[in-house]
């Protein structure tokens, strides 16, 4: 430890720390613009100049390492003069347009100008003007004259997002921050440059001129868009959501959020939002009040159960519903004798059910995974499924982690990999079994020699028709190498659904094969959320009654349902999620419900009363949670060990569809966010196929073709991609191809 003095205060710090870091530990603020604790040191702005005794001139605190006995003055006349000089320099060309700037009220330059700026400038020359830049639908760069060249945005895109989308051109006074020619700034994490920009050069394009920062209320909540459980700040005005920002939590999302979390709020007030209960009568939809709608549900279920038995009813629930909602839904199902309840929307192989010792989860904390020495990821589209977790792994892979990937396609991860094995999904189980048997293999040896190793299974493994066999092989490999086995859950509360044990009776796929007379949909859009959307819609059309509890209406729901009840999205209700590491996180509604929508847990509570069931007397979601989950015993319910033993399932046809769910088509809210749908990630995907497979199918690069699955066909453009395994078609799930069958299943391609 080194002893240094800052402004008369003594502190012991570690070797290698900078003056800035030491001052932060001491609680001393040093003004800065370019420094950020998660980015490399640039020392561009010079605002952090401090006086160091025996140094001939002021030194930048962010780039000056501490030495034993160092004496630092951060607010001495010499330091203050240097900082004021830098501020005057930074303001020479700044437009001083604070009254119309979106950054006004939360601008570092504005704040520091109060403390270190002068009331008038000595420079009377004409200010330099910089032409605005087009950075795509998410980030606005219309006022680049405000830029102070701190390069935070440049360093973020390269170091955290992994792909440098922004760079600095020219030199000196003529320097400009700009995207690459013809390119938009839209990696899955691009919106973080808005938060990083210390001035108003980069702002949120959807939020542009919407509200001033001091008009907004700040509310804490949890993301409902993936299983990471990112902590969010939602800013509201007039009971509407206006902006979403990250809430720092080092253990989960650090200080970042994904673009999916940041801009999904734009879908909250989509024109398809269901504002009042509706009942279909005579082929026409009619708005009704809540008592009428709930009484309709009661009478319909009673009638169907009396005529066709309790086995004739099924429940399909989205695992992004809260713990409280899923618990009450299961309690209602048990009270009514409904035996079939499933949240596994995209899974095809249910053979593991009943053989797992507990709920499936990551197997360790997010931080522990990020600190592992060796990690093997199988069957995951990492950047689509878990953008922030991928960024954490990227940072580790650049430093010390040996990261290996087994997949059907070569995803551009923008990080160094120990190995990147491309295999047909039907070969994954055998390959993992061979690795378990041959610990001298480079990959398995790497896992075995590592002090901390992990094997992680992604969505494509979980949705594989032979999931049980792949899982068993991965478990064998984990046992042979001493690695921790975990999965990447597919939804915000997938772990919570497992903990509650809500899945019972027939799976959704079995209910599609044997359609029910009545189906209750809890926050499910069947045409895209269910594996085999067209098949799901066909099964629902055969039902006597389909009751949708949904925030949004759609053409499909209007066609198959006879009643729709408006429930609140996560921003308008209280509840809890259990994230991938088994962390229970609760939140409150940040705005009141839109129109006549109601929180689902309240709707289910009242339904329990309507059916005259006991145990539905709750006043708050906290009461429901207390009954649903024992927080102290939660960790005991998490266990990935499986006792399943069996042979391989019947393999899908040779040509298999892969690609996962499109990053901006993962849930109803994201699918309705206009800014996200305007990005390149949301565009209708092409069908990527290995050149050899294309030739065998009689197709050429760029041809139009018909993709067929489950009796449905869509037109696609085929593109040759040598980074794929042979005999796979990389076609991510998208609203335009949702009519096709299940992911990770057989597909046909023929000339269109």
């Amino acid at each position: 430890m080194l002893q240094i003095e800052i402004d008369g205060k003594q502190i012991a710090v570690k070797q290698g720390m900078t003056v800035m870091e030491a001052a932060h530990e001491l609680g001393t603020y040093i003004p800065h613009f370019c420094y950020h604790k998660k980015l490399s040191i640039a020392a561009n702005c010079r605002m952090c100049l401090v006086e160091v005794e025996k140094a001939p001139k002021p030194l930048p605190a962010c780039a000056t390492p501490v030495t034993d006995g160092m004496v630092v003055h951060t607010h001495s006349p010499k330091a203050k003069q240097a900082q004021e000089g830098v501020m005057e320099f930074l303001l020479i060309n700044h437009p001083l347009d604070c009254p119309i700037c979106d950054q006004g009220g939360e601008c570092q330059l504005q704040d520091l100008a109060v403390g270190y700026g002068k009331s008038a400038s000595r420079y009377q020359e004409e200010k330099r003007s910089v032409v605005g830049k087009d950075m795509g639908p998410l980030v606005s760069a219309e006022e680049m004259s405000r830029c102070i060249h701190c390069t935070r945005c440049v360093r973020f895109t390269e170091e955290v997002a992994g792909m440098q989308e922004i760079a600095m051109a020219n030199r000196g006074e003529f320097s400009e921050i700009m995207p690459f020619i013809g390119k938009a700034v839209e990696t899955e994490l691009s919106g973080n440059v808005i938060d990083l920009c210390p001035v108003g050069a980069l702002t949120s394009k959807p939020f542009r001129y919407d509200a001033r920062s001091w008009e907004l209320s700040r509310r804490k909540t949890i993301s409902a868009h993936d299983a990471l459980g990112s902590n969010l700040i939602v800013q509201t005005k007039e009971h509407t959501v206006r902006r979403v920002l990250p809430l720092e939590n080092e253990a989960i999302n650090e200080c970042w959020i994904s673009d999916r979390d940041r801009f999904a709020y734009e879908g909250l007030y989509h024109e398809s939002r269901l504002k009042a209960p509706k009942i279909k009568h005579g082929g026409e939809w009619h708005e009704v009040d809540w008592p009428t709608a709930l009484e309709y549900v009661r009478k319909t279920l009673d009638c169907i159960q009396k005529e066709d038995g309790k086995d004739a009813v099924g429940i399909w629930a989205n695992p992004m519903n809260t713990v409280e909602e899923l618990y009450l839904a299961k309690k209602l199902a048990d009270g009514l004798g409904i035996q079939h309840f499933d949240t596994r929307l995209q899974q095809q192989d249910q053979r593991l059910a009943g053989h797992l010792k507990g709920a499936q989860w990551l197997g360790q904390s997010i931080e522990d995974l990020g600190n592992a020495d060796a990690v093997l990821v199988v069957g995951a589209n990492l950047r689509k499924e878990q953008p922030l977790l991928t960024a954490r792994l990227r940072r580790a892979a650049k430093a010390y982690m040996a990261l290996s990937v087994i997949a059907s396609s070569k995803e551009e991860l923008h990080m160094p990999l120990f190995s990147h094995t491309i295999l047909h999904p039907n070969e994954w189980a055998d390959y993992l079994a061979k690795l378990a048997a041959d610990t001298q293999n480079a990959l398995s040896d790497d896992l075995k020699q590592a002090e901390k190793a992990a094997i992680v299974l992604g969505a494509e493994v979980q949705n594989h028709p032979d999931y049980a066999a792949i899982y068993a092989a991965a478990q064998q490999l984990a046992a042979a190498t001493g690695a921790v086995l975990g999965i990447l859950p597919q939804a915000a509360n997938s772990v919570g659904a497992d903990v509650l044990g809500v899945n019972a009776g027939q799976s959704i796929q079995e209910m599609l094969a044997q359609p029910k007379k009545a189906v209750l949909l809890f926050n499910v859009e069947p045409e895209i959320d269910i594996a085999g959307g067209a098949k799901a819609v066909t099964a629902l059309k055969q039902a006597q009654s389909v009751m949708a509890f949904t925030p949004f209406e759609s053409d499909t729901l209007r066609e198959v349902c006879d009643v729709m009840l408006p429930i609140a999205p996560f921003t308008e209700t209280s509840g809890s999620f259990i994230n991938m590491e088994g962390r229970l996180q609760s939140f409150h509604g940040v705005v009141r419900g839109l129109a006549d929508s109601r929180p689902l847990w309240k709707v289910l509570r009242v339904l329990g009363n309507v059916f005259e069931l006991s145990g539905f007397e709750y006043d708050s979601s906290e009461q429901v949670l207390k009954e649903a989950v024992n927080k102290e015993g939660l960790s005991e319910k998490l266990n990935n060990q499986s006792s399943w033993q069996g042979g391989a399932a019947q393999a899908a046809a040779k040509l298999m569809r892969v690609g996962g769910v499109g990053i901006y088509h993962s849930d109803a809210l994201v699918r309705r966010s206009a800014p996200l749908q305007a990005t390149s990630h949301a565009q209708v995907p092409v069908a990527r196929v290995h050149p050899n497979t294309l030739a065998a199918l009689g197709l050429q690069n760029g041809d139009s073709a018909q993709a067929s699955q489950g009796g449905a066909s869509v037109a696609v453009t085929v593109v040759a991609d040598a980074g794929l395994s042979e005999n796979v078609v990389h076609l991510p799930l998208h609203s335009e191809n949702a009519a096709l069958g299940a992911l990770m299943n057989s597909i046909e391609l023929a000339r269109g």
Side-chain angles (χ1 to χ4, degrees), residues 223-227 316-323 325-326 341-347 462 489-498 500 502-503 508 522-525 529-530 576-579 666-667:
S223 168
H225 305 298
D226 61 41
W316 305 356
N318 198 317
M320 70 178 291
N321 290 317
T322 66
V323 169
E325 292 165 350
L326 290 176
F341 191 123
D342 198 13
T343 63
R344 297 159 295 187
L345 304 184
Q346 292 287 341
Q347 278 193 29
Q462 297 166 56
Q490 297 188 64
N493 199 33
S494 293
V495 179
D498 262 6
L500 295 172
V502 297
N503 298 310
I508 290 176
F522 292 129
N523 204 10
V524 171
E525 295 191 306
D529 288 333
I530 304 295
S576 309
F577 295 133
I578 300 177
N579 75 348
S666 55
D667 63 71

Short mmCIF file of all heavy atoms in Angstrom, two decimals, residues 223-227 316-323 325-326 341-347 462 489-498 500 502-503 508 522-525 529-530 576-579 666-667:
data_model
loop_
_atom_site.label_atom_id
_atom_site.label_comp_id
_atom_site.label_asym_id
_atom_site.label_seq_id
_atom_site.Cartn_x
_atom_site.Cartn_y
_atom_site.Cartn_z
N SER A 223 -35.89 -4.39 -15.57
CA SER A 223 -36.18 -4.70 -16.97
C SER A 223 -36.96 -6.00 -17.09
O SER A 223 -36.66 -6.99 -16.41
CB SER A 223 -34.89 -4.81 -17.77
OG SER A 223 -35.14 -5.37 -19.06
N ALA A 224 -37.93 -6.01 -18.01
CA ALA A 224 -38.73 -7.21 -18.26
C ALA A 224 -38.38 -7.86 -19.59
O ALA A 224 -39.11 -8.74 -20.06
CB ALA A 224 -40.22 -6.85 -18.26
N HIS A 225 -37.25 -7.46 -20.20
CA HIS A 225 -36.97 -7.88 -21.57
C HIS A 225 -35.94 -8.99 -21.71
O HIS A 225 -35.75 -9.53 -22.78
CB HIS A 225 -36.55 -6.67 -22.41
CG HIS A 225 -37.55 -5.56 -22.38
ND1 HIS A 225 -38.83 -5.71 -22.84
CD2 HIS A 225 -37.47 -4.30 -21.91
CE1 HIS A 225 -39.50 -4.59 -22.66
NE2 HIS A 225 -38.70 -3.72 -22.09
N ASP A 226 -35.23 -9.31 -20.66
CA ASP A 226 -34.36 -10.49 -20.65
C ASP A 226 -34.11 -10.92 -19.22
O ASP A 226 -34.56 -10.26 -18.27
CB ASP A 226 -33.04 -10.25 -21.41
CG ASP A 226 -32.18 -9.14 -20.83
OD1 ASP A 226 -32.08 -9.05 -19.59
OD2 ASP A 226 -31.58 -8.37 -21.61
N ALA A 227 -33.41 -12.03 -19.07
CA ALA A 227 -33.25 -12.64 -17.76
C ALA A 227 -32.13 -12.03 -16.93
O ALA A 227 -31.89 -12.49 -15.81
CB ALA A 227 -33.01 -14.15 -17.91
N TRP A 316 -51.77 -20.92 -21.24
CA TRP A 316 -50.48 -20.58 -21.82
C TRP A 316 -50.05 -19.25 -21.22
O TRP A 316 -50.72 -18.23 -21.40
CB TRP A 316 -50.56 -20.45 -23.34
CG TRP A 316 -51.11 -21.65 -24.06
CD1 TRP A 316 -51.47 -22.85 -23.51
CD2 TRP A 316 -51.38 -21.76 -25.46
NE1 TRP A 316 -51.93 -23.71 -24.48
CE2 TRP A 316 -51.88 -23.06 -25.70
CE3 TRP A 316 -51.23 -20.90 -26.54
CZ2 TRP A 316 -52.25 -23.51 -26.97
CZ3 TRP A 316 -51.59 -21.35 -27.82
CH2 TRP A 316 -52.10 -22.64 -28.01
N ALA A 317 -48.95 -19.26 -20.52
CA ALA A 317 -48.50 -18.04 -19.83
C ALA A 317 -47.10 -17.66 -20.27
O ALA A 317 -46.23 -18.52 -20.46
CB ALA A 317 -48.54 -18.24 -18.31
N ASN A 318 -46.88 -16.38 -20.42
CA ASN A 318 -45.57 -15.87 -20.80
C ASN A 318 -44.65 -15.83 -19.57
O ASN A 318 -45.04 -15.30 -18.53
CB ASN A 318 -45.71 -14.46 -21.39
CG ASN A 318 -44.50 -14.05 -22.19
OD1 ASN A 318 -43.36 -14.27 -21.79
ND2 ASN A 318 -44.73 -13.45 -23.35
N PRO A 319 -43.44 -16.37 -19.67
CA PRO A 319 -42.53 -16.34 -18.51
C PRO A 319 -41.98 -14.96 -18.20
O PRO A 319 -41.17 -14.81 -17.29
CB PRO A 319 -41.41 -17.32 -18.91
CG PRO A 319 -41.45 -17.36 -20.40
CD PRO A 319 -42.87 -17.14 -20.80
N MET A 320 -42.38 -13.92 -18.93
CA MET A 320 -42.01 -12.57 -18.54
C MET A 320 -43.03 -11.98 -17.57
O MET A 320 -42.85 -10.88 -17.07
CB MET A 320 -41.88 -11.66 -19.77
CG MET A 320 -43.17 -11.32 -20.48
SD MET A 320 -42.92 -10.19 -21.89
CE MET A 320 -42.44 -8.66 -21.04
N ASN A 321 -44.12 -12.72 -17.27
CA ASN A 321 -45.04 -12.32 -16.21
C ASN A 321 -44.32 -12.38 -14.86
O ASN A 321 -43.39 -13.17 -14.67
CB ASN A 321 -46.27 -13.22 -16.18
CG ASN A 321 -47.18 -13.00 -17.38
OD1 ASN A 321 -47.44 -11.87 -17.78
ND2 ASN A 321 -47.68 -14.08 -17.96
N THR A 322 -44.77 -11.59 -13.92
CA THR A 322 -44.10 -11.51 -12.62
C THR A 322 -44.36 -12.76 -11.78
O THR A 322 -45.25 -13.57 -12.09
CB THR A 322 -44.58 -10.28 -11.84
OG1 THR A 322 -45.98 -10.46 -11.52
CG2 THR A 322 -44.38 -9.00 -12.64
N VAL A 323 -43.57 -12.90 -10.73
CA VAL A 323 -43.75 -14.00 -9.78
C VAL A 323 -45.17 -14.00 -9.24
O VAL A 323 -45.83 -15.04 -9.17
CB VAL A 323 -42.73 -13.88 -8.62
CG1 VAL A 323 -43.07 -14.87 -7.50
CG2 VAL A 323 -41.31 -14.11 -9.12
N GLU A 325 -47.91 -12.72 -10.52
CA GLU A 325 -48.91 -13.06 -11.54
C GLU A 325 -48.93 -14.56 -11.83
O GLU A 325 -49.99 -15.17 -11.91
CB GLU A 325 -48.61 -12.26 -12.81
CG GLU A 325 -48.86 -10.76 -12.66
CD GLU A 325 -48.23 -9.92 -13.75
OE1 GLU A 325 -47.44 -10.46 -14.55
OE2 GLU A 325 -48.51 -8.71 -13.80
N LEU A 326 -47.75 -15.16 -11.96
CA LEU A 326 -47.69 -16.59 -12.24
C LEU A 326 -48.20 -17.40 -11.05
O LEU A 326 -48.88 -18.41 -11.23
CB LEU A 326 -46.25 -17.00 -12.58
CG LEU A 326 -45.71 -16.50 -13.94
CD1 LEU A 326 -44.24 -16.88 -14.10
CD2 LEU A 326 -46.53 -17.06 -15.09
N PHE A 341 -50.92 -26.32 -17.64
CA PHE A 341 -50.39 -24.96 -17.46
C PHE A 341 -48.95 -24.98 -17.94
O PHE A 341 -48.13 -25.76 -17.46
CB PHE A 341 -50.47 -24.57 -15.98
CG PHE A 341 -50.20 -23.12 -15.68
CD1 PHE A 341 -51.15 -22.37 -15.02
CD2 PHE A 341 -49.00 -22.50 -16.02
CE1 PHE A 341 -50.92 -21.02 -14.71
CE2 PHE A 341 -48.76 -21.17 -15.73
CZ PHE A 341 -49.71 -20.43 -15.08
N ASP A 342 -48.60 -24.10 -18.89
CA ASP A 342 -47.24 -24.14 -19.44
C ASP A 342 -46.75 -22.73 -19.77
O ASP A 342 -47.49 -21.91 -20.30
CB ASP A 342 -47.20 -25.00 -20.71
CG ASP A 342 -45.76 -25.43 -21.06
OD1 ASP A 342 -44.86 -25.28 -20.21
OD2 ASP A 342 -45.55 -25.94 -22.17
N THR A 343 -45.48 -22.49 -19.41
CA THR A 343 -44.82 -21.23 -19.74
C THR A 343 -43.66 -21.42 -20.72
O THR A 343 -43.00 -20.45 -21.09
CB THR A 343 -44.27 -20.57 -18.47
OG1 THR A 343 -43.26 -21.42 -17.88
CG2 THR A 343 -45.36 -20.31 -17.45
N ARG A 344 -43.41 -22.66 -21.13
CA ARG A 344 -42.26 -22.95 -21.99
C ARG A 344 -42.67 -22.75 -23.45
O ARG A 344 -42.92 -23.69 -24.19
CB ARG A 344 -41.76 -24.36 -21.73
CG ARG A 344 -41.25 -24.56 -20.30
CD ARG A 344 -41.23 -26.02 -19.87
NE ARG A 344 -42.57 -26.60 -19.81
CZ ARG A 344 -42.84 -27.80 -19.34
NH1 ARG A 344 -41.89 -28.54 -18.81
NH2 ARG A 344 -44.09 -28.26 -19.36
N LEU A 345 -42.71 -21.48 -23.88
CA LEU A 345 -43.33 -21.12 -25.14
C LEU A 345 -42.61 -21.68 -26.35
O LEU A 345 -43.24 -22.04 -27.35
CB LEU A 345 -43.41 -19.59 -25.24
CG LEU A 345 -44.14 -18.86 -24.09
CD1 LEU A 345 -44.22 -17.37 -24.38
CD2 LEU A 345 -45.52 -19.43 -23.85
N GLN A 346 -41.29 -21.71 -26.31
CA GLN A 346 -40.52 -22.12 -27.49
C GLN A 346 -39.90 -23.52 -27.35
O GLN A 346 -39.33 -24.03 -28.31
CB GLN A 346 -39.40 -21.11 -27.76
CG GLN A 346 -39.87 -19.73 -28.23
CD GLN A 346 -40.39 -19.71 -29.66
OE1 GLN A 346 -40.09 -20.61 -30.45
NE2 GLN A 346 -41.15 -18.70 -30.00
N GLN A 347 -39.99 -24.13 -26.17
CA GLN A 347 -39.37 -25.44 -25.97
C GLN A 347 -40.16 -26.54 -26.68
O GLN A 347 -41.39 -26.53 -26.68
CB GLN A 347 -39.26 -25.77 -24.48
CG GLN A 347 -38.06 -25.14 -23.81
CD GLN A 347 -37.79 -25.74 -22.44
OE1 GLN A 347 -38.09 -26.88 -22.16
NE2 GLN A 347 -37.20 -24.94 -21.56
N GLN A 462 -31.96 -25.05 -25.53
CA GLN A 462 -33.22 -25.24 -24.82
C GLN A 462 -34.40 -25.48 -25.75
O GLN A 462 -35.36 -26.16 -25.38
CB GLN A 462 -33.50 -24.01 -23.94
CG GLN A 462 -32.45 -23.79 -22.84
CD GLN A 462 -32.55 -22.42 -22.22
OE1 GLN A 462 -33.61 -22.04 -21.72
NE2 GLN A 462 -31.45 -21.66 -22.23
N PRO A 489 -31.56 -18.29 -19.22
CA PRO A 489 -33.02 -18.32 -19.32
C PRO A 489 -33.52 -17.41 -20.44
O PRO A 489 -32.91 -16.38 -20.74
CB PRO A 489 -33.48 -17.82 -17.95
CG PRO A 489 -32.30 -18.06 -17.04
CD PRO A 489 -31.09 -17.85 -17.88
N GLN A 490 -34.65 -17.77 -21.03
CA GLN A 490 -35.11 -17.06 -22.23
C GLN A 490 -35.99 -15.86 -21.94
O GLN A 490 -36.26 -15.07 -22.84
CB GLN A 490 -35.86 -18.05 -23.14
CG GLN A 490 -34.98 -19.18 -23.64
CD GLN A 490 -35.67 -20.05 -24.68
OE1 GLN A 490 -36.01 -19.59 -25.76
NE2 GLN A 490 -35.88 -21.31 -24.37
N ALA A 491 -36.47 -15.70 -20.73
CA ALA A 491 -37.34 -14.57 -20.42
C ALA A 491 -37.02 -14.03 -19.04
O ALA A 491 -36.29 -14.65 -18.26
CB ALA A 491 -38.81 -14.99 -20.50
N ALA A 492 -37.59 -12.86 -18.74
CA ALA A 492 -37.26 -12.15 -17.50
C ALA A 492 -37.52 -12.97 -16.26
O ALA A 492 -36.81 -12.84 -15.26
CB ALA A 492 -38.04 -10.83 -17.44
N ASN A 493 -38.55 -13.81 -16.30
CA ASN A 493 -38.91 -14.56 -15.09
C ASN A 493 -38.98 -16.06 -15.35
O ASN A 493 -39.74 -16.77 -14.67
CB ASN A 493 -40.25 -14.04 -14.54
CG ASN A 493 -40.48 -14.40 -13.09
OD1 ASN A 493 -39.55 -14.48 -12.28
ND2 ASN A 493 -41.73 -14.65 -12.75
N SER A 494 -38.19 -16.56 -16.29
CA SER A 494 -38.16 -18.00 -16.54
C SER A 494 -37.73 -18.77 -15.29
O SER A 494 -38.28 -19.84 -14.99
CB SER A 494 -37.21 -18.32 -17.70
OG SER A 494 -37.69 -17.82 -18.92
N VAL A 495 -36.74 -18.24 -14.58
CA VAL A 495 -36.30 -18.89 -13.34
C VAL A 495 -37.42 -18.87 -12.31
O VAL A 495 -37.67 -19.85 -11.60
CB VAL A 495 -35.02 -18.22 -12.78
CG1 VAL A 495 -34.59 -18.89 -11.48
CG2 VAL A 495 -33.89 -18.27 -13.80
N GLY A 496 -38.13 -17.74 -12.22
CA GLY A 496 -39.25 -17.63 -11.29
C GLY A 496 -40.34 -18.64 -11.58
O GLY A 496 -40.91 -19.24 -10.66
N ALA A 497 -40.64 -18.87 -12.85
CA ALA A 497 -41.65 -19.87 -13.23
C ALA A 497 -41.22 -21.25 -12.77
O ALA A 497 -42.05 -22.05 -12.30
CB ALA A 497 -41.87 -19.84 -14.74
N ASP A 498 -39.92 -21.54 -12.92
CA ASP A 498 -39.40 -22.84 -12.46
C ASP A 498 -39.46 -22.96 -10.94
O ASP A 498 -39.79 -24.02 -10.40
CB ASP A 498 -37.95 -23.00 -12.94
CG ASP A 498 -37.86 -23.84 -14.21
OD1 ASP A 498 -38.92 -24.19 -14.76
OD2 ASP A 498 -36.73 -24.16 -14.64
N LEU A 500 -41.50 -21.53 -8.90
CA LEU A 500 -42.89 -21.69 -8.49
C LEU A 500 -43.47 -23.04 -8.88
O LEU A 500 -44.51 -23.45 -8.36
CB LEU A 500 -43.75 -20.58 -9.09
CG LEU A 500 -43.46 -19.14 -8.61
CD1 LEU A 500 -44.25 -18.14 -9.43
CD2 LEU A 500 -43.77 -18.98 -7.13
N VAL A 502 -44.83 -23.85 -11.81
CA VAL A 502 -46.14 -23.63 -12.43
C VAL A 502 -46.41 -24.58 -13.59
O VAL A 502 -47.57 -24.87 -13.91
CB VAL A 502 -46.29 -22.17 -12.91
CG1 VAL A 502 -46.22 -21.21 -11.74
CG2 VAL A 502 -45.24 -21.81 -13.96
N ASN A 503 -45.36 -25.06 -14.25
CA ASN A 503 -45.55 -25.93 -15.41
C ASN A 503 -46.06 -27.30 -14.96
O ASN A 503 -45.41 -28.00 -14.20
CB ASN A 503 -44.25 -26.08 -16.20
CG ASN A 503 -43.77 -24.74 -16.76
OD1 ASN A 503 -44.53 -24.00 -17.38
ND2 ASN A 503 -42.51 -24.40 -16.51
N ILE A 508 -47.33 -26.96 -24.04
CA ILE A 508 -48.03 -26.25 -25.12
C ILE A 508 -48.00 -27.06 -26.41
O ILE A 508 -49.01 -27.14 -27.12
CB ILE A 508 -47.42 -24.85 -25.32
CG1 ILE A 508 -47.76 -23.96 -24.13
CG2 ILE A 508 -47.93 -24.21 -26.62
CD1 ILE A 508 -47.13 -22.59 -24.17
N PHE A 522 -52.09 -15.72 -21.05
CA PHE A 522 -51.60 -14.69 -20.14
C PHE A 522 -50.39 -14.00 -20.77
O PHE A 522 -49.28 -14.52 -20.74
CB PHE A 522 -51.23 -15.29 -18.78
CG PHE A 522 -52.41 -15.78 -17.99
CD1 PHE A 522 -52.42 -17.06 -17.46
CD2 PHE A 522 -53.52 -14.98 -17.79
CE1 PHE A 522 -53.52 -17.52 -16.74
CE2 PHE A 522 -54.61 -15.43 -17.07
CZ PHE A 522 -54.62 -16.70 -16.55
N ASN A 523 -50.67 -12.84 -21.41
CA ASN A 523 -49.60 -12.02 -22.01
C ASN A 523 -48.88 -12.77 -23.12
O ASN A 523 -47.66 -12.68 -23.26
CB ASN A 523 -48.62 -11.57 -20.92
CG ASN A 523 -47.85 -10.33 -21.29
OD1 ASN A 523 -48.17 -9.66 -22.27
ND2 ASN A 523 -46.83 -10.01 -20.52
N VAL A 524 -49.62 -13.50 -23.93
CA VAL A 524 -49.06 -14.30 -25.01
C VAL A 524 -49.67 -13.87 -26.34
O VAL A 524 -50.89 -13.76 -26.46
CB VAL A 524 -49.32 -15.81 -24.79
CG1 VAL A 524 -48.92 -16.62 -26.03
CG2 VAL A 524 -48.56 -16.32 -23.57
N GLU A 525 -48.81 -13.61 -27.33
CA GLU A 525 -49.25 -13.41 -28.71
C GLU A 525 -48.90 -14.68 -29.47
O GLU A 525 -47.75 -14.88 -29.87
CB GLU A 525 -48.58 -12.18 -29.32
CG GLU A 525 -48.99 -10.89 -28.62
CD GLU A 525 -48.56 -9.63 -29.34
OE1 GLU A 525 -47.35 -9.51 -29.63
OE2 GLU A 525 -49.42 -8.78 -29.61
N ASP A 529 -45.10 -15.78 -30.31
CA ASP A 529 -44.48 -16.21 -29.05
C ASP A 529 -44.37 -17.72 -28.93
O ASP A 529 -43.51 -18.23 -28.21
CB ASP A 529 -45.27 -15.67 -27.85
CG ASP A 529 -45.09 -14.17 -27.66
OD1 ASP A 529 -44.04 -13.64 -28.08
OD2 ASP A 529 -46.01 -13.52 -27.11
N ILE A 530 -45.25 -18.46 -29.60
CA ILE A 530 -45.30 -19.91 -29.48
C ILE A 530 -44.48 -20.56 -30.58
O ILE A 530 -44.48 -20.11 -31.73
CB ILE A 530 -46.76 -20.42 -29.56
CG1 ILE A 530 -47.63 -19.76 -28.50
CG2 ILE A 530 -46.82 -21.94 -29.43
CD1 ILE A 530 -47.27 -20.07 -27.10
N SER A 576 -42.39 -8.82 -9.06
CA SER A 576 -41.03 -9.30 -8.83
C SER A 576 -40.61 -10.22 -9.96
O SER A 576 -41.43 -10.93 -10.54
CB SER A 576 -40.93 -10.06 -7.49
OG SER A 576 -41.47 -9.30 -6.44
N PHE A 577 -39.33 -10.20 -10.26
CA PHE A 577 -38.70 -11.15 -11.18
C PHE A 577 -37.57 -11.86 -10.45
O PHE A 577 -36.92 -11.29 -9.57
CB PHE A 577 -38.10 -10.45 -12.41
CG PHE A 577 -39.11 -9.77 -13.30
CD1 PHE A 577 -38.91 -8.47 -13.75
CD2 PHE A 577 -40.26 -10.42 -13.71
CE1 PHE A 577 -39.83 -7.84 -14.58
CE2 PHE A 577 -41.18 -9.81 -14.54
CZ PHE A 577 -40.97 -8.51 -14.97
N ILE A 578 -37.33 -13.10 -10.83
CA ILE A 578 -36.13 -13.81 -10.38
C ILE A 578 -35.22 -13.94 -11.59
O ILE A 578 -35.57 -14.58 -12.57
CB ILE A 578 -36.47 -15.20 -9.80
CG1 ILE A 578 -37.42 -15.04 -8.59
CG2 ILE A 578 -35.20 -15.93 -9.37
CD1 ILE A 578 -37.87 -16.37 -8.00
N ASN A 579 -34.06 -13.29 -11.53
CA ASN A 579 -33.21 -13.24 -12.72
C ASN A 579 -32.37 -14.51 -12.86
O ASN A 579 -32.51 -15.47 -12.10
CB ASN A 579 -32.34 -11.98 -12.72
CG ASN A 579 -31.19 -12.05 -11.72
OD1 ASN A 579 -31.12 -12.94 -10.86
ND2 ASN A 579 -30.25 -11.13 -11.84
N SER A 666 -38.53 -9.96 -29.43
CA SER A 666 -38.55 -10.89 -28.30
C SER A 666 -39.83 -10.82 -27.47
O SER A 666 -40.20 -11.79 -26.84
CB SER A 666 -37.33 -10.66 -27.41
OG SER A 666 -37.28 -9.30 -26.99
N ASP A 667 -40.50 -9.66 -27.42
CA ASP A 667 -41.75 -9.56 -26.67
C ASP A 667 -42.63 -8.49 -27.29
O ASP A 667 -42.21 -7.71 -28.15
CB ASP A 667 -41.50 -9.29 -25.19
CG ASP A 667 -40.78 -7.96 -24.92
OD1 ASP A 667 -41.41 -6.91 -25.08
OD2 ASP A 667 -39.59 -8.00 -24.53
#
